[in-house]
Amino acid sequence: MKKLKISIWILTIVLGLSSCKPGENKEEVVNPLKVMVQKVAPFEKSGQFQFPGKVKADDKLTLSTKVIGQVEQVYVDNGETVKKGQLLLKIRSNDISSQLDAAKASLTEAEAALSNTQKNYERIKRLYDKGSATQKEFDDISTAQEIGKARTESVNQSIKEINELLRYTNLKSPINGFVSQKFVNKGTMATPGNPLIMLESLDNLKIEITVPEFEIGLFNQGDSVQIEINDIGKKPLEGFVEYIVPSTSFSGTQYRVIVQLKENNKDLKPGMFARVNLLKNTERKIIVPQHALFQRGQLSGIYTVNQQGEAMLRWIRLGKEYPEGVEVLSGLEAGEQFILSSESKLTDGAKVEITKSI
């Protein structure tokens, strides 16, 4: 019996030894992934702030008349370009025409009377100088001459005033611009003070933007800006802040800022939509290439390398996009390294070998 137990024990040892294979207790060798890393170096970037606005005419005029009359003819239409001195519309005013005719007749009469008075004055003065006319006769003719002159001047002044009124029956453009709104048509009755035509200048166009109260402190008079207007091309225009309206009364929470173009652009038109870009406050920003990022749903991450030579997925918060890449707001510090590329797909904790560092 004792020999049987010893035999069984020996057999168990033999079977145990025979089940072990060479190398089974050794750890499996895993080749590390070859990766390229990049050191985080901040970029110098100016803070860019963009504000919507519209192109506006610096000169906007609403023309009216001082006479009462019927619009005889309108020579322009909405949107039409006009030149300074161009006739825009004509008003028929029979009353003023009658006044002018009467004034001209009075002038003819006054001038004839003055001419006769002056002849008598010269005749009596010669007699007075010879002692053949009395002082009273000379004084009377002198007074009559002054009255005649005063009357002639008065009638001339009346004609001048009537002609001034007639100027309002032939309405001309005081500026180079375009008709932004026409309020009357042929046959409309024009009355003093009522608008007839609105004009806007094309000589000096500006950009008006609205700025929230919490951002108005970014602006200073003279600040350079870039202006984007899609209607005239992709190349930005150069401009500067001309002035800031120091009140929010027109909107309650928005300020108005007027931007002046450095050079006039013939393609600009009032009413065009514009974007004004203000560059302020140079900052050091961490920017990483887009292709180095790892996305999982709404989360963004980037792989770094720990001291054990392992790829570590780190979640980060992103900001604005730039030509160089995407801004990292948090989760990555200057001087750290991140994996720029790898020979195959990375996983968290994977062994890596750095083959190049930039």
Side-chain angles (χ1 to χ4, degrees):
M1 186 68 180
K2 185 175 180 182
K3 290 181 178 180
L4 178 62
K5 289 182 178 179
I6 293 172
S7 299
I8 293 171
W9 180 77
I10 293 172
L11 180 62
T12 301
I13 293 173
V14 171
L15 290 173
L17 291 174
S18 64
S19 64
C20 294
K21 296 180 180 179
E24 184 173 307
N25 291 330
K26 294 181 181 180
E27 293 184 359
E28 185 178 350
V29 176
V30 178
N31 293 325
L33 295 175
K34 292 181 171 56
V35 297
M36 180 189 299
V37 298
Q38 180 174 326
K39 189 176 182 180
V40 177
F43 284 77
E44 294 287 341
K45 284 291 181 182
S46 296
Q48 179 172 308
F49 303 87
Q50 189 173 84
F51 302 89
K54 277 192 175 183
V55 180
K56 291 200 171 183
D58 188 40
D59 293 328
K60 183 182 288 187
L61 304 174
T62 301
L63 305 182
S64 60
T65 184
K66 291 185 178 181
V67 301
I68 298 175
Q70 192 176 50
V71 176
E72 185 176 340
Q73 188 66 49
V74 180
Y75 299 100
V76 292
D77 209 343
N78 288 329
E80 187 171 334
T81 302
V82 296
K83 294 183 179 180
K84 186 176 181 179
Q86 180 178 336
L87 182 62
L88 305 177
L89 62 81
K90 190 173 183 179
I91 300 172
R92 183 189 298 114
S93 180
N94 295 330
D95 182 53
I96 295 179
S97 298
S98 299
Q99 290 180 41
L100 182 60
D101 290 341
K104 287 180 177 179
S106 296
L107 180 61
T108 300
E109 182 181 338
E111 287 176 340
L114 178 60
S115 179
N116 289 331
T117 302
Q118 286 176 333
K119 289 177 182 178
N120 286 331
Y121 172 82
E122 292 170 1
R123 181 178 59 79
I124 292 175
K125 187 177 185 302
R126 285 195 300 270
L127 293 174
Y128 176 75
D129 290 339
K130 294 177 181 179
S132 301
T134 64
Q135 181 69 45
K136 183 177 183 308
E137 288 175 322
F138 180 71
D139 291 342
D140 288 344
I141 195 62
S142 297
T143 301
Q145 184 185 41
E146 293 302 319
I147 291 173
K149 288 180 179 180
R151 184 187 175 194
T152 303
E153 289 176 4
S154 176
V155 175
N156 274 321
Q157 182 62 31
S158 295
I159 291 174
K160 184 178 179 181
E161 292 173 358
I162 294 170
N163 281 326
E164 181 68 16
L165 285 175
L166 281 174
R167 187 172 68 85
Y168 287 94
T169 65
N170 294 294
L171 207 63
K172 296 181 180 180
S173 175
I175 61 171
N176 294 318
F178 72 101
V179 179
S180 60
Q181 192 168 359
K182 186 181 67 172
F183 298 100
V184 294
N185 294 301
K186 182 178 179 180
T188 303
M189 183 60 67
T191 55
N194 284 339
L196 300 175
I197 289 178
M198 181 182 288
L199 300 178
E200 292 188 32
S201 173
L202 291 174
D203 291 336
N204 191 20
L205 297 176
K206 299 183 180 181
I207 315 296
E208 182 179 302
I209 61 176
T210 55
V211 180
E213 186 175 2
F214 67 90
E215 290 184 306
I216 193 62
L218 295 170
F219 287 85
N220 292 299
Q221 189 171 355
D223 281 346
S224 294
V225 297
Q226 289 189 335
I227 304 157
E228 298 175 11
I229 302 176
N230 293 336
D231 291 340
I232 64 171
K234 295 183 178 180
K235 186 178 180 180
L237 304 176
E238 298 295 325
F240 61 91
V241 175
E242 185 179 30
Y243 63 91
I244 303 164
V245 180
S247 171
T248 61
S249 58
F250 83 105
S251 66
T253 59
Q254 302 280 325
Y255 285 84
R256 281 189 302 160
V257 176
I258 307 302
V259 172
Q260 172 72 59
L261 294 166
K262 288 186 177 179
E263 294 182 4
N264 284 333
N265 188 302
K266 63 180 181 179
D267 297 323
L268 275 183
K269 298 290 185 296
M272 286 182 173
F273 179 76
R275 293 183 181 88
V276 174
N277 297 310
L278 177 69
L279 301 178
K280 281 276 185 169
N281 306 326
T282 300
E283 298 176 356
R284 292 170 63 83
K285 295 180 180 290
I286 293 176
I287 298 175
V288 298
Q290 184 80 47
H291 68 265
L293 297 175
F294 173 80
Q295 299 292 143
R296 180 180 293 168
Q298 299 297 319
L299 299 177
S300 298
I302 197 166
Y303 280 99
T304 60
V305 180
N306 64 15
Q307 293 181 347
Q308 289 74 40
E310 298 172 334
M312 301 298 296
L313 179 60
R314 187 182 298 182
W315 299 112
I316 56 178
R317 187 162 64 93
L318 301 179
K320 293 182 179 179
E321 292 188 7
Y322 295 93
E324 300 88 350
V326 187
E327 177 187 9
V328 177
L329 299 176
S330 62
L332 196 63
E333 301 294 333
E336 292 186 301
Q337 290 183 328
F338 63 90
I339 297 177
L340 189 63
S341 63
S342 66
E343 62 180 355
S344 60
K345 186 177 179 180
L346 289 169
T347 56
D348 197 20
K351 284 287 186 178
V352 296
E353 177 188 348
I354 298 174
T355 58
K356 187 175 182 181
S357 179
I358 60 175

PDB file of all heavy atoms in Angstrom, residues 65-67 96 99 159-170:
ATOM      1  N   THR A  65     -40.017 122.342 -50.070  1.00  0.00           N
ATOM      2  CA  THR A  65     -40.208 123.613 -50.766  1.00  0.00           C
ATOM      3  C   THR A  65     -40.818 124.635 -49.826  1.00  0.00           C
ATOM      4  O   THR A  65     -41.321 124.296 -48.742  1.00  0.00           O
ATOM      5  CB  THR A  65     -41.113 123.427 -51.999  1.00  0.00           C
ATOM      6  OG1 THR A  65     -41.198 124.668 -52.699  1.00  0.00           O
ATOM      7  CG2 THR A  65     -42.502 122.971 -51.586  1.00  0.00           C
ATOM      8  N   LYS A  66     -40.747 125.892 -50.214  1.00  0.00           N
ATOM      9  CA  LYS A  66     -41.356 126.983 -49.435  1.00  0.00           C
ATOM     10  C   LYS A  66     -42.585 127.555 -50.130  1.00  0.00           C
ATOM     11  O   LYS A  66     -43.122 128.572 -49.699  1.00  0.00           O
ATOM     12  CB  LYS A  66     -40.333 128.102 -49.209  1.00  0.00           C
ATOM     13  CG  LYS A  66     -39.195 127.715 -48.278  1.00  0.00           C
ATOM     14  CD  LYS A  66     -38.285 128.915 -48.019  1.00  0.00           C
ATOM     15  CE  LYS A  66     -37.173 128.549 -47.044  1.00  0.00           C
ATOM     16  NZ  LYS A  66     -36.296 129.707 -46.759  1.00  0.00           N
ATOM     17  N   VAL A  67     -43.001 126.911 -51.206  1.00  0.00           N
ATOM     18  CA  VAL A  67     -44.137 127.428 -51.972  1.00  0.00           C
ATOM     19  C   VAL A  67     -45.257 126.389 -52.015  1.00  0.00           C
ATOM     20  O   VAL A  67     -45.050 125.208 -51.740  1.00  0.00           O
ATOM     21  CB  VAL A  67     -43.715 127.795 -53.411  1.00  0.00           C
ATOM     22  CG1 VAL A  67     -42.612 128.834 -53.405  1.00  0.00           C
ATOM     23  CG2 VAL A  67     -43.271 126.547 -54.183  1.00  0.00           C
ATOM     24  N   ILE A  96     -46.985 132.747 -57.543  1.00  0.00           N
ATOM     25  CA  ILE A  96     -45.651 133.372 -57.529  1.00  0.00           C
ATOM     26  C   ILE A  96     -45.346 133.996 -58.891  1.00  0.00           C
ATOM     27  O   ILE A  96     -44.753 135.081 -58.968  1.00  0.00           O
ATOM     28  CB  ILE A  96     -44.582 132.334 -57.146  1.00  0.00           C
ATOM     29  CG1 ILE A  96     -44.811 131.876 -55.710  1.00  0.00           C
ATOM     30  CG2 ILE A  96     -43.187 132.908 -57.282  1.00  0.00           C
ATOM     31  CD1 ILE A  96     -43.843 130.831 -55.232  1.00  0.00           C
ATOM     32  N   GLN A  99     -47.045 137.248 -58.954  1.00  0.00           N
ATOM     33  CA  GLN A  99     -46.334 138.208 -58.108  1.00  0.00           C
ATOM     34  C   GLN A  99     -45.096 138.750 -58.819  1.00  0.00           C
ATOM     35  O   GLN A  99     -44.790 139.944 -58.732  1.00  0.00           O
ATOM     36  CB  GLN A  99     -45.912 137.545 -56.797  1.00  0.00           C
ATOM     37  CG  GLN A  99     -47.050 137.208 -55.841  1.00  0.00           C
ATOM     38  CD  GLN A  99     -46.543 136.560 -54.574  1.00  0.00           C
ATOM     39  OE1 GLN A  99     -45.524 136.958 -54.032  1.00  0.00           O
ATOM     40  NE2 GLN A  99     -47.261 135.550 -54.111  1.00  0.00           N
ATOM     41  N   ILE A 159     -38.436 141.621 -56.034  1.00  0.00           N
ATOM     42  CA  ILE A 159     -38.174 140.713 -57.160  1.00  0.00           C
ATOM     43  C   ILE A 159     -37.147 139.652 -56.765  1.00  0.00           C
ATOM     44  O   ILE A 159     -37.288 138.462 -57.110  1.00  0.00           O
ATOM     45  CB  ILE A 159     -37.695 141.516 -58.389  1.00  0.00           C
ATOM     46  CG1 ILE A 159     -38.840 142.364 -58.931  1.00  0.00           C
ATOM     47  CG2 ILE A 159     -37.145 140.589 -59.466  1.00  0.00           C
ATOM     48  CD1 ILE A 159     -38.445 143.293 -60.053  1.00  0.00           C
ATOM     49  N   LYS A 160     -36.136 140.075 -55.994  1.00  0.00           N
ATOM     50  CA  LYS A 160     -35.125 139.126 -55.538  1.00  0.00           C
ATOM     51  C   LYS A 160     -35.753 138.050 -54.646  1.00  0.00           C
ATOM     52  O   LYS A 160     -35.447 136.850 -54.775  1.00  0.00           O
ATOM     53  CB  LYS A 160     -34.036 139.873 -54.768  1.00  0.00           C
ATOM     54  CG  LYS A 160     -32.883 138.996 -54.324  1.00  0.00           C
ATOM     55  CD  LYS A 160     -31.826 139.823 -53.611  1.00  0.00           C
ATOM     56  CE  LYS A 160     -30.670 138.940 -53.131  1.00  0.00           C
ATOM     57  NZ  LYS A 160     -29.639 139.734 -52.420  1.00  0.00           N
ATOM     58  N   GLU A 161     -36.646 138.456 -53.749  1.00  0.00           N
ATOM     59  CA  GLU A 161     -37.313 137.505 -52.857  1.00  0.00           C
ATOM     60  C   GLU A 161     -38.237 136.568 -53.630  1.00  0.00           C
ATOM     61  O   GLU A 161     -38.327 135.374 -53.324  1.00  0.00           O
ATOM     62  CB  GLU A 161     -38.091 138.259 -51.786  1.00  0.00           C
ATOM     63  CG  GLU A 161     -37.190 139.003 -50.799  1.00  0.00           C
ATOM     64  CD  GLU A 161     -37.976 139.878 -49.842  1.00  0.00           C
ATOM     65  OE1 GLU A 161     -39.220 139.934 -49.979  1.00  0.00           O
ATOM     66  OE2 GLU A 161     -37.355 140.508 -48.959  1.00  0.00           O
ATOM     67  N   ILE A 162     -38.909 137.106 -54.634  1.00  0.00           N
ATOM     68  CA  ILE A 162     -39.802 136.265 -55.443  1.00  0.00           C
ATOM     69  C   ILE A 162     -38.993 135.259 -56.257  1.00  0.00           C
ATOM     70  O   ILE A 162     -39.375 134.089 -56.379  1.00  0.00           O
ATOM     71  CB  ILE A 162     -40.680 137.139 -56.368  1.00  0.00           C
ATOM     72  CG1 ILE A 162     -41.648 137.981 -55.517  1.00  0.00           C
ATOM     73  CG2 ILE A 162     -41.467 136.279 -57.349  1.00  0.00           C
ATOM     74  CD1 ILE A 162     -42.384 139.038 -56.309  1.00  0.00           C
ATOM     75  N   ASN A 163     -37.860 135.723 -56.789  1.00  0.00           N
ATOM     76  CA  ASN A 163     -36.989 134.804 -57.530  1.00  0.00           C
ATOM     77  C   ASN A 163     -36.433 133.704 -56.610  1.00  0.00           C
ATOM     78  O   ASN A 163     -36.234 132.566 -57.044  1.00  0.00           O
ATOM     79  CB  ASN A 163     -35.835 135.564 -58.173  1.00  0.00           C
ATOM     80  CG  ASN A 163     -36.260 136.277 -59.450  1.00  0.00           C
ATOM     81  OD1 ASN A 163     -37.115 135.785 -60.191  1.00  0.00           O
ATOM     82  ND2 ASN A 163     -35.667 137.433 -59.715  1.00  0.00           N
ATOM     83  N   GLU A 164     -36.186 134.075 -55.332  1.00  0.00           N
ATOM     84  CA  GLU A 164     -35.732 133.080 -54.365  1.00  0.00           C
ATOM     85  C   GLU A 164     -36.816 132.021 -54.153  1.00  0.00           C
ATOM     86  O   GLU A 164     -36.528 130.821 -54.057  1.00  0.00           O
ATOM     87  CB  GLU A 164     -35.382 133.768 -53.044  1.00  0.00           C
ATOM     88  CG  GLU A 164     -34.878 132.838 -51.958  1.00  0.00           C
ATOM     89  CD  GLU A 164     -33.518 132.232 -52.258  1.00  0.00           C
ATOM     90  OE1 GLU A 164     -32.810 132.745 -53.153  1.00  0.00           O
ATOM     91  OE2 GLU A 164     -33.179 131.223 -51.627  1.00  0.00           O
ATOM     92  N   LEU A 165     -38.064 132.487 -54.082  1.00  0.00           N
ATOM     93  CA  LEU A 165     -39.177 131.541 -53.964  1.00  0.00           C
ATOM     94  C   LEU A 165     -39.298 130.680 -55.216  1.00  0.00           C
ATOM     95  O   LEU A 165     -39.591 129.479 -55.137  1.00  0.00           O
ATOM     96  CB  LEU A 165     -40.483 132.287 -53.714  1.00  0.00           C
ATOM     97  CG  LEU A 165     -40.695 132.863 -52.312  1.00  0.00           C
ATOM     98  CD1 LEU A 165     -41.987 133.671 -52.259  1.00  0.00           C
ATOM     99  CD2 LEU A 165     -40.722 131.754 -51.270  1.00  0.00           C
ATOM    100  N   LEU A 166     -39.057 131.310 -56.354  1.00  0.00           N
ATOM    101  CA  LEU A 166     -39.131 130.549 -57.604  1.00  0.00           C
ATOM    102  C   LEU A 166     -38.079 129.444 -57.666  1.00  0.00           C
ATOM    103  O   LEU A 166     -38.262 128.428 -58.341  1.00  0.00           O
ATOM    104  CB  LEU A 166     -38.960 131.482 -58.802  1.00  0.00           C
ATOM    105  CG  LEU A 166     -40.196 132.289 -59.206  1.00  0.00           C
ATOM    106  CD1 LEU A 166     -39.843 133.283 -60.301  1.00  0.00           C
ATOM    107  CD2 LEU A 166     -41.314 131.350 -59.681  1.00  0.00           C
ATOM    108  N   ARG A 167     -36.976 129.648 -56.928  1.00  0.00           N
ATOM    109  CA  ARG A 167     -35.949 128.619 -56.866  1.00  0.00           C
ATOM    110  C   ARG A 167     -36.505 127.328 -56.273  1.00  0.00           C
ATOM    111  O   ARG A 167     -36.072 126.227 -56.614  1.00  0.00           O
ATOM    112  CB  ARG A 167     -34.766 129.121 -56.029  1.00  0.00           C
ATOM    113  CG  ARG A 167     -33.565 128.206 -56.034  1.00  0.00           C
ATOM    114  CD  ARG A 167     -32.394 128.866 -55.341  1.00  0.00           C
ATOM    115  NE  ARG A 167     -32.635 129.024 -53.918  1.00  0.00           N
ATOM    116  CZ  ARG A 167     -32.398 128.082 -52.992  1.00  0.00           C
ATOM    117  NH1 ARG A 167     -31.944 126.910 -53.377  1.00  0.00           N
ATOM    118  NH2 ARG A 167     -32.634 128.307 -51.728  1.00  0.00           N
ATOM    119  N   TYR A 168     -37.503 127.482 -55.402  1.00  0.00           N
ATOM    120  CA  TYR A 168     -38.116 126.317 -54.772  1.00  0.00           C
ATOM    121  C   TYR A 168     -39.167 125.665 -55.675  1.00  0.00           C
ATOM    122  O   TYR A 168     -39.728 124.635 -55.327  1.00  0.00           O
ATOM    123  CB  TYR A 168     -38.743 126.711 -53.438  1.00  0.00           C
ATOM    124  CG  TYR A 168     -37.712 126.964 -52.368  1.00  0.00           C
ATOM    125  CD1 TYR A 168     -37.234 128.246 -52.125  1.00  0.00           C
ATOM    126  CD2 TYR A 168     -37.209 125.922 -51.608  1.00  0.00           C
ATOM    127  CE1 TYR A 168     -36.280 128.472 -51.147  1.00  0.00           C
ATOM    128  CE2 TYR A 168     -36.255 126.142 -50.625  1.00  0.00           C
ATOM    129  CZ  TYR A 168     -35.797 127.428 -50.398  1.00  0.00           C
ATOM    130  OH  TYR A 168     -34.847 127.648 -49.427  1.00  0.00           O
ATOM    131  N   THR A 169     -39.435 126.267 -56.819  1.00  0.00           N
ATOM    132  CA  THR A 169     -40.315 125.617 -57.790  1.00  0.00           C
ATOM    133  C   THR A 169     -39.513 124.779 -58.777  1.00  0.00           C
ATOM    134  O   THR A 169     -40.070 123.955 -59.493  1.00  0.00           O
ATOM    135  CB  THR A 169     -41.145 126.653 -58.572  1.00  0.00           C
ATOM    136  OG1 THR A 169     -40.269 127.469 -59.358  1.00  0.00           O
ATOM    137  CG2 THR A 169     -41.949 127.524 -57.622  1.00  0.00           C
ATOM    138  N   ASN A 170     -38.192 125.014 -58.814  1.00  0.00           N
ATOM    139  CA  ASN A 170     -37.275 124.210 -59.622  1.00  0.00           C
ATOM    140  C   ASN A 170     -36.248 123.594 -58.663  1.00  0.00           C
ATOM    141  O   ASN A 170     -35.201 124.169 -58.392  1.00  0.00           O
ATOM    142  CB  ASN A 170     -36.572 125.058 -60.680  1.00  0.00           C
ATOM    143  CG  ASN A 170     -37.538 125.580 -61.723  1.00  0.00           C
ATOM    144  OD1 ASN A 170     -38.122 124.817 -62.487  1.00  0.00           O
ATOM    145  ND2 ASN A 170     -37.737 126.883 -61.744  1.00  0.00           N
TER     146      ASN A 170
END
